[in-house]
């Protein structure tokens, strides 16, 4: 289990838990501050050794913070698009999600100040965010498949991986290749991949 999944286990214990570390770190992140794990430990009244044992280090905690923010956005967008089905719902969520991420000032500032570290944490197999994002997308694809509203040309995990990597390449285009992010183009490509206009049962 990853550290984000472990929050529920820590929450069962008395006193501060991993959830509380993430909450305080989120406040620092949203204020545009550097995430300071020793200061968080002091604020919560736990030892610094315990804090480091729970989250690893400040970079890993930053990844957990970004993952938790993405989880909140993803959950909200699922609620806002529940009237849609299949590929249309997924495309709506992806477009709104990417535009919100791109417009989120603390996130933009973090990437601009730390482009190499930011991309390593967010858009690399070495960071915690990419694998978490793939799981979110895979779960959504499988949910729509269970509803009978979506058929894919490949398995859900492969499609979730492709969606994540393609979205990253456009969302962070300015940092990766120096190009301007163009969300209309990535949605056009994702539409071709998900085939919302193909009748169910046609492969």
């Amino acid at each position: 289990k990853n550290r984000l999944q472990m929050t529920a286990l820590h929450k069962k214990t008395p006193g501060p838990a991993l959830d509380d570390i993430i909450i305080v770190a989120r406040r620092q992140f949203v204020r545009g501050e550097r995430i300071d794990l020793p200061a968080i430990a002091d604020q919560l009244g736990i030892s610094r050794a315990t804090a480091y044992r729970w989250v690893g280090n400040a970079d890993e905690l930053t990844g957990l913070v970004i993952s938790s923010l993405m989880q909140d956005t993803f959950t909200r967008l699922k609620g806002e698009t529940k009237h849609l089905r299949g590929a249309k719902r997924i495309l709506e969520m992806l477009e709104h999600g990417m535009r919100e991420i791109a417009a989120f000032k603390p996130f933009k500032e973090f990437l601009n100040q730390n482009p190499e570290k930011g991309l390593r944490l967010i858009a690399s197999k070495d960071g915690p965010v990419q694998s978490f994002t793939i799981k979110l997308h895979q779960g959504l694809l499988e949910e729509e498949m269970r509803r009978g509203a979506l058929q894919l040309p490949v398995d859900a995990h492969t499609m979730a991986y492709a969606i994540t990597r393609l979205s990253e390449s456009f969302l962070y285009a300015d940092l990766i290749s120096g190009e301007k992010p163009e969300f209309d183009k990535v949605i056009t490509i994702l539409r071709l991949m998900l085939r919302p206009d193909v009748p169910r049962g046609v492969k």
Side-chain angles (χ1 to χ4, degrees), residues 128-191:
V129 179
Q130 185 184 86
S131 60
F132 184 72
T133 306
I134 291 170
K135 288 179 182 178
L136 288 178
H137 288 152
Q138 182 175 342
L140 178 63
L141 292 167
E142 290 172 344
E143 179 181 324
E144 292 304 310
M145 291 170 71
R146 286 193 299 269
R147 295 172 71 190
L150 180 69
Q151 286 195 339
L152 298 175
V154 294
D155 63 275
H157 176 76
T158 299
M159 182 61 77
Y161 175 83
I163 288 172
T164 300
R165 297 295 282 137
L166 182 63
S167 300
E168 289 170 350
S169 68
F170 277 81
L171 187 57
Y172 312 123
D174 53 339
L175 299 178
I176 295 171
S177 60
E179 297 187 11
K180 180 182 177 182
E182 297 188 74
F183 299 114
D184 291 341
K185 289 184 178 179
V186 68
I187 291 300
T188 297
I189 298 171
L190 290 168
R191 183 179 296 277

Side-chain angles (χ1 to χ4, degrees), residues 58-180:
D59 283 355
E60 289 186 67
L61 179 55
T62 301
L64 290 177
V65 165
I66 294 170
S67 294
S68 73
L69 290 167
M70 289 188 172
Q71 171 76 78
D72 289 350
T73 300
F74 197 85
T75 300
R76 176 173 52 78
L77 290 173
K78 282 186 71 174
E80 291 175 358
T81 58
K82 60 185 179 182
H83 61 289
L84 299 174
R85 291 173 58 84
K88 291 182 179 179
R89 183 187 190 196
I90 294 163
L91 289 167
E92 182 82 3
M93 287 183 61
L94 288 170
E95 180 170 9
H96 281 274
M98 284 189 288
R99 292 188 186 278
E100 287 189 23
I101 290 169
F104 185 41
K105 188 176 178 181
F107 188 66
K108 289 170 61 178
E109 290 178 351
F110 167 73
L111 287 176
N112 289 334
Q113 292 169 7
N114 312 275
E116 271 190 43
K117 181 170 75 172
L119 288 175
R120 178 173 52 80
L121 287 174
I122 296 161
S124 162
K125 64 180 178 60
D126 297 321
V129 179
Q130 185 184 86
S131 60
F132 184 72
T133 306
I134 291 170
K135 288 179 182 178
L136 288 178
H137 288 152
Q138 182 175 342
L140 178 63
L141 292 167
E142 290 172 344
E143 179 181 324
E144 292 304 310
M145 291 170 71
R146 286 193 299 269
R147 295 172 71 190
L150 180 69
Q151 286 195 339
L152 298 175
V154 294
D155 63 275
H157 176 76
T158 299
M159 182 61 77
Y161 175 83
I163 288 172
T164 300
R165 297 295 282 137
L166 182 63
S167 300
E168 289 170 350
S169 68
F170 277 81
L171 187 57
Y172 312 123
D174 53 339
L175 299 178
I176 295 171
S177 60
E179 297 187 11
K180 180 182 177 182

